[in-house]
Amino acid sequence: AKKQGKNRFYWFEAPMENELRFRNELEAGIRRGIEKGEFVPYYEQQIDLDSGELVGFEMLARWNSPEMGLVGPDIFIPIAEEIGVIAEMSEHLIEQAFADASEWDSALTLSVNISPVQMRDPWFAQKILKLLVKHRFPAHRLEIEITETCLHENIGMVRSMITSLRNQGVKVSLDDFGTGYASLSQLKSLPFDRLKIDRSFISELRGEEQNTKLVEAIVSMSDGLKMPITAEGIEDEDILAALKKWGQMKGQGYHYGRPEPADKVLERLQTKGRL
Ligand code: C2E
Ligand code: CA
Ligand code: CA
Ligand code: CA
């Protein structure tokens, strides 16, 4: 009986212990990775849907982990937020992105994702402006993407932050639009430059029995708010065709290509003559 009890102990305890160890290693790996510059920007093309022209790139973070290979942001962003290193990580990434984007055709924009945790920092706008100056990167080429979850926080502070960024010429858009709980009156009071429709709505436009109702509702909201749309998650020709009917949108997605590292972006721009 004693032996059985002991076995049971191992049966239940070992997985939890392993999980904890894995988590601790992940945290240590992230801290080390920031020091060693293992976090790198990847870029996804953004297209003007009417003309089909490339208009810019969204920077998406990747972790080049020596142990695990290329790791996506859904794994490390929440942990970086929790252990308080998200701002430092993000600033490293943005600095690399400014350096990369400085080599591109100066008409191309650069979008970056910002965590709600960073939006709590009253000096956030000033930090961005300092980085712009340091890298001599034109403010009008930069677009900051913030998610609807930011709006649960101190809305007055979010509003003044958006305003001070925009006063310097930086664009600010609302990311994952439709997945949060922003009210119309909140949206009306926040001066966003664009709305980014989340992929979950765009995928409704796929296939035979496509559901256009949700996207239609979002498009009419964007008309009312006078905030143009970027559609994310355009995966095929059908979705693209459906979106083009509304006109005047930007879009991005696997139909145009996967996110790629800076050197691949340069090759792409070279063949297009846009360096
Ligand atoms: P997001 O801002 O909604 O970014 C779009 C995500 O959808 C990206 O995933 C992109 O690779 C993926 N995607 C793009 N086109 C398609 C498509 O056609 N089909 C499908 N199925 N997926 C598509 P990724 O790179 O894994 O990023 C996930 C999320 O991580 C991003 O969602 C963003 O919220 C966050 N993120 C990425 N980089 C950063 C960063 O530097 N800072 C912060 N705070 N968050 C970041
Ligand atoms: Ca985004
Ligand atoms: Ca999204
Ligand atoms: Ca997101």
Side-chain angles (χ1 to χ4, degrees):
K2 204 175 174 186
K3 197 179 168 220
Q4 204 184 2
K6 204 175 170 190
N7 282 343
R8 201 165 350 172
F9 175 80
Y10 280 112
W11 179 257
F12 286 108
E13 289 296 314
M16 274 169 59
E17 239 171 61
N18 282 337
E19 228 168 81
L20 197 63
R21 189 170 314 130
F22 179 63
R23 166 77 196 208
N24 284 337
E25 276 168 17
L26 209 52
E27 288 184 12
I30 289 171
R31 291 183 199 278
R32 215 166 34 235
I34 294 175
E35 296 304 315
K36 291 174 146 181
E38 291 166 7
F39 291 91
V40 294
Y42 271 49
Y43 300 97
E44 180 170 311
Q45 300 174 71
Q46 296 183 317
I47 308 289
D48 175 82
L49 296 189
D50 294 327
S51 66
E53 286 266 307
L54 177 70
V55 290
F57 291 91
E58 177 176 1
M59 189 265 277
L60 294 160
R62 296 290 181 266
W63 179 17
N64 237 323
S65 156
E67 292 88 14
M68 294 180 286
L70 201 63
V71 181
D74 291 331
I75 307 284
F76 62 79
I77 296 283
I79 299 176
E81 289 173 340
E82 251 180 77
I83 65 177
V85 297
I86 184 69
E88 192 187 345
M89 175 188 289
S90 179
E91 280 171 36
H92 276 293
L93 285 160
I94 290 172
E95 293 207 49
Q96 293 178 67
F98 283 168
D100 291 338
S102 295
E103 309 209 12
W104 309 340
D105 174 342
S106 63
L108 295 169
T109 58
L110 170 72
S111 300
V112 302
N113 295 281
I114 297 300
S115 154
V117 174
Q118 291 169 276
M119 295 292 292
R120 280 183 215 138
D121 174 4
W123 298 102
F124 174 73
Q126 277 76 3
K127 284 180 178 169
I128 292 291
L129 299 173
K130 223 172 123 186
L131 292 181
L132 285 166
V133 171
K134 179 176 169 193
H135 291 266
R136 298 169 196 249
F137 193 75
H140 70 267
R141 291 183 64 191
L142 179 64
E143 177 181 43
I144 299 275
E145 300 190 2
I146 69 175
T147 56
E148 259 179 289
T149 25
C150 291
L151 310 184
H152 301 318
E153 323 240 335
N154 185 340
I155 191 111
M157 188 164 141
V158 173
R159 185 181 301 115
S160 68
M161 200 169 290
I162 296 174
T163 304
S164 57
L165 286 166
R166 293 188 74 212
N167 284 343
Q168 303 294 323
V170 176
K171 308 280 194 306
V172 184
S173 49
L174 183 59
D175 204 2
D176 292 345
F177 179 57
T179 62
Y181 302 94
S183 68
L184 262 180
S185 59
Q186 263 180 339
L187 285 179
K188 228 181 70 185
S189 78
L190 293 166
F192 288 111
D193 291 283
R194 311 187 70 82
L195 303 173
K196 293 198 72 178
I197 312 186
D198 190 60
R199 191 169 79 226
S200 56
F201 299 104
I202 301 305
S203 62
E204 298 277 329
L205 301 174
R206 196 197 325 267
E208 295 287 282
E209 61 262 55
Q210 48 168 244
N211 172 11
T212 58
K213 290 266 159 58
L214 282 171
V215 179
E216 228 157 69
I218 292 173
V219 169
S220 81
M221 266 174 92
S222 105
D223 285 344
L225 292 162
K226 299 197 171 58
M227 296 172 190
I229 282 175
T230 302
E232 60 173 41
I234 302 175
E235 289 186 347
D236 57 41
E237 202 66 57
D238 290 354
I239 294 178
L240 175 60
L243 286 170
K244 273 168 100 167
K245 277 185 241 151
W246 282 293
Q248 298 216 317
M249 274 187 204
K250 288 192 199 175
Q252 53 186 102
Y254 294 170
H255 177 64
Y256 297 103
R258 301 271 167 155
E260 54 196 10
D263 56 332
K264 288 285 180 307
V265 170
L266 285 182
E267 281 172 28
R268 179 181 294 283
L269 294 178
Q270 194 131 44
T271 60
K272 285 182 194 279
R274 298 199 59 179
L275 274 187

